[in-house]
Amino acid sequence: QEAAKYEKKVMVLDFVMPTPLGNSWGLGGTCVNVGCIPKKLMHQAALLGQALQDSRKFGWQFAEEVKHNWMTMTESIQNYIGSLNWGYRVALREKKVTYENAYGEFVGPHTIKATNKRGVEKLYTAERFLIATGERPRYLGIPGDKEYCLSSDDLFSLPYCPGKTLVIGASYVALECAGFLAGLGLDVTVMVRSILLRGFDQDIANKIGEYMEEHGISFIREFVPIKIEEGTPGRLKVTAKSTKGNQIIAGEYNTVLLAIGKRDACTRNIGLDKVGVKINEKTGKIPVNDEEQTNVPYIYAIGDILQDKLELTPVAIQAGRLLVQRLYAGATRKCDYVNVPTTVFTPLEYGACGYSEEAAVEKFGEENIEVYHSHFWPLEWTVPSRDNNKCYAKIICNIQDNERVIGFHVLGPNAGEVTQGFAAAMKCGLTKEQLDSTIGIHPVCAE
Amino acid sequence: MAALWWRRLPGLRGAVRGLSGKKEYDLLVVGGGSGGLACAKEAAQFGRKVAVLDYVEPSPQGTKWGLGGTCVNVGCIPKKLMHQAALLGSAVRDAQHYGWNIAQPVHHTWSVMAQAVQNYVKSLNWGHRVQLQDKKVKYFNMKGSFSDPYTVCGLTKGGKETIVTAENIVIATGGRPKYPTHIAGALEYGITSDDLFWLKESPGKTLVVGASFSLECAGFLTGIGLDATVMMRSIALRGFDQQMASLVTEHMESYGTKFLKRCLPTKVEKLESNRLQVTWKNTELGTEETDSFDTVMWAVGRAPDTETLNLETAGVKTNSETGKIVVDASEATSVPHIYAIGDITEGRPELTPTAIAAGRLLARRLFGQSSELMDYDNVPTTVFTPLEYGCVGLSEEAAVQCYGSDNIEVYHAYYKPLEFTVAERDATQCYMKMVCLRESEQRILGLHFIGPNAGEVIQGFALGIKCGATYPQLMKTIGIHPTCAEEVTKLHITKRSGLDATVTGC
């Protein structure tokens, strides 16, 4: 859309390979269809379930029995996603960007072959190419995984309630899904191989896990599944082995959701070898320079497929826009990948920006950092007597650099809304002193 | 016996005390509210001998409360909790769109909410008393008045007197709601915020007179299902950005709150049914109108609580127009060892966090060898109306007045919170704007946000502004997706361009 603003002739090829279970979706990519958007909406549904309970303490009265209907929720969400798919198609048309719902692969220099759903092939040439094909969930490679397991690609459009669910994995996708499924009243178990939320601050990751456990989610730790098969009618039997010994366990569930934290970059079958674009053979990711250029000068890449970059929608959007402005508007600004804030939408939300405590210690040395921390009790949780010692915030400061704030972590409601402004402040070089001299807004969690 | 003798010769005693030098306390704080308690506790940390006097004169309707001041008892805290009750009412409706099956009818019971809120407030009163004890601060539940510059006479409810002397005295007695006493029946039949949060029974059909705090109250009353009307003389949220103020009231109107604009009440009478008949003048139409309500609440401003302090005896000067105590940048009054903080001071924001910060810094300057003064610039705040409004820095009008409209750039956007989509909620007034200087650096002068969780959104940005944030720096910040706050980092349409400022797509 940005390139079209500069009156360039632009084409977009988008194609969704169906999931092993046969699911597909429209224009918009992971975020809109099977990521951020439906995830946040289902998380919201779960939060509203909690709000219903709280509301009684605030004087609201209605029948004791409150049940959740999966189909009503999923239909509403899918309708909204449909409107977004449509909105993108309209926007592309209005901006005169040619759109084809076809699978693209390079066949030679400056030439791409587009194959649509019906197998019809067309060839296109372009001066420049941008690869933004993203990734798809990875399967375990164990018997029964592709036949019986769901991934996040299937969950958000599931036409029946998942029921008793086993979530395999400890990624943010696994924990967010387990979280909202439990919030909707389902029986949820999470099977974790080793640690939670690898790459995130581990102190906070453990607090998140603890909170989930205290709120009805079971965890099976240090086990990996080795087989998935049909169990009693309507159920799946999962057999798992301990990572610490020879113990074998088995359990039955209505649904098994795989979210092991690794995704496969969609780079292997798009003809990159034909044009000489180097990829990391092990991960499939594409290395680029700081201007998002691959080793082939007229081919660029952005988003989840990039090596050593963050897999986040706003990062991809920013990178894309700035790239186009550099190519066609004479701009020089590059995407700033430092201090990118993020939020994990688990039942107790976690917002973060900058270094985790471990990373800060490793980079600067324990004696050179100061960690300020505090538990807090959101005012809205007092009346309904919700946990008074779970919400938590910490900032990590670099003593040698004027106590500059290099890490911000908050665990509590609306963590994303809270974190955003702090990320902006960190971009401005926030120090502890400046933080101390800022007046709080009362009464809110962010203060 | 000694006490009686002192009382007969107050002048002499005062003079003797003043000369003798050794005072009972290092610090005496008069007023146990946000500012006073923060100051006292901070001073105690330095090992000083500190005392706090706190007393609540019952409201005309007879309401009174415990230690903690306005914020805890009749301000921020109960207000936000009742606002939350109203928001939960919306949540119950939203939940149905998200698949939750709730049997109708759904209704709200005031007494359950009020009881829960009042219990929580009482636990805070208790918490404050325990904290003072833990920090070895002496607490007197007494009404203080100056006998001389270093002496305060404390009077209990029962009339018992205690004399307290101190090297340093901090006045933090705050304010109380004003009654429009020129309106017949206002005092006898009306209530104020002092009473609203302590009502045991529902206020029923309520008229709230005023244009600032009244909006928050009328807002939550509407939210819990009551018939609420706001009567305003002229503009809403005076002192705030007026474009934002209009959006706030527009939303409230579509939400169900009734507005009587450009109206002035003339009298309040009690009917046989015990209802209140209010008569008012519609200044726009020139007509006189009338209606009956169960409750009439005055929210027409607050007056500083200085009447019974006997400030003249101590020599403390007040502003002749407002009655507030005049202080300098170090919070000192016209008398060097007497200070004032919080709502009672002239020219300061009437906010809890500024009172607390001022109190703490004062204690550090007095006893902790600090020289840091309070910075009252760019204090963020939030109005907790049904659709919340958070802001920091200059309003657009103030920026134009200060720099000229040619020298400022206003970036703005209408957005829709993701959570509103499935819930089919109206996001017409969800809006934000950033007022920046137009010259090269584009420093941010003010940020205004209307939407859910406005306070949570604005707080971090207030930090950024404290660091001198510029528009380019904010644009370099990556957004968190999906949130409302991320839209701030994506602002790019200027008012000057005249382009449609509606956010589209992901």
Side-chain angles (χ1 to χ4, degrees), chain A residues 286-306:
Chain A
I286 303 180
V288 292
N289 63 16
D290 66 358
E291 297 192 325
E292 285 83 30
Q293 199 178 29
T294 67
N295 61 308
V296 178
Y298 67 90
I299 302 180
Y300 299 82
I302 53 167
D304 288 3
I305 52 167
L306 295 189

Side-chain angles (χ1 to χ4, degrees), chain B residues 191-377:
Chain B
I191 64 166
T192 66
S193 55
D194 279 358
D195 311 292
L196 179 68
F197 303 112
W198 293 93
L199 291 178
K200 296 273 184 285
E201 297 299 324
S202 171
K205 180 180 172 189
T206 306
L207 173 70
V208 188
V209 182
S212 292
F213 184 68
S214 64
L215 300 183
E216 290 178 315
C217 290
F220 72 68
L221 290 174
T222 306
I224 58 175
L226 298 177
D227 180 332
T229 305
V230 174
M231 187 182 289
M232 307 196 298
R233 185 172 50 100
S234 64
I235 61 170
L237 294 174
R238 185 176 297 276
F240 285 88
D241 186 288
Q242 284 301 294
Q243 179 196 14
M244 306 308 279
S246 308
L247 288 169
V248 165
T249 53
E250 247 174 60
H251 177 267
M252 287 179 69
E253 272 173 298
S254 67
Y255 186 68
T257 305
K258 302 192 201 129
F259 279 81
L260 290 168
K261 297 184 185 171
R262 305 223 167 268
C263 293
L264 287 169
T266 49
K267 65 178 171 199
V268 181
E269 297 158 298
K270 196 155 200 171
L271 299 170
E272 256 179 42
S273 59
N274 259 341
R275 268 203 152 188
L276 299 171
Q277 182 89 1
V278 181
T279 311
W280 66 86
K281 185 151 167 234
N282 184 321
T283 61
E284 200 150 82
L285 305 172
T287 53
E288 198 177 73
E289 284 151 25
T290 183
D291 195 1
S292 65
F293 301 89
D294 295 309
T295 303
V296 175
M297 183 181 128
W298 306 106
V300 296
R302 294 175 72 82
D305 202 347
T306 53
E307 231 179 76
T308 53
L309 276 173
N310 229 351
L311 291 177
E312 316 77 49
T313 311
V316 173
K317 289 200 175 56
T318 59
N319 178 298
S320 52
E321 216 185 286
T322 63
K324 293 191 176 187
I325 299 179
V326 177
V327 291
D328 65 18
S330 67
E331 270 54 90
T333 65
S334 48
V335 182
H337 67 279
I338 301 180
Y339 302 84
I341 55 172
D343 288 5
I344 198 119
T345 48
E346 176 62 38
R348 304 283 192 238
E350 286 180 8
L351 297 169
T352 279
T354 50
I356 292 177
R360 288 207 181 118
L361 289 178
L362 175 61
R364 285 181 210 160
R365 286 195 306 273
L366 288 176
F367 308 116
Q369 274 105 52
S370 160
S371 54
E372 198 189 333
L373 293 175
M374 177 69 187
D375 182 1
Y376 288 98
D377 272 338

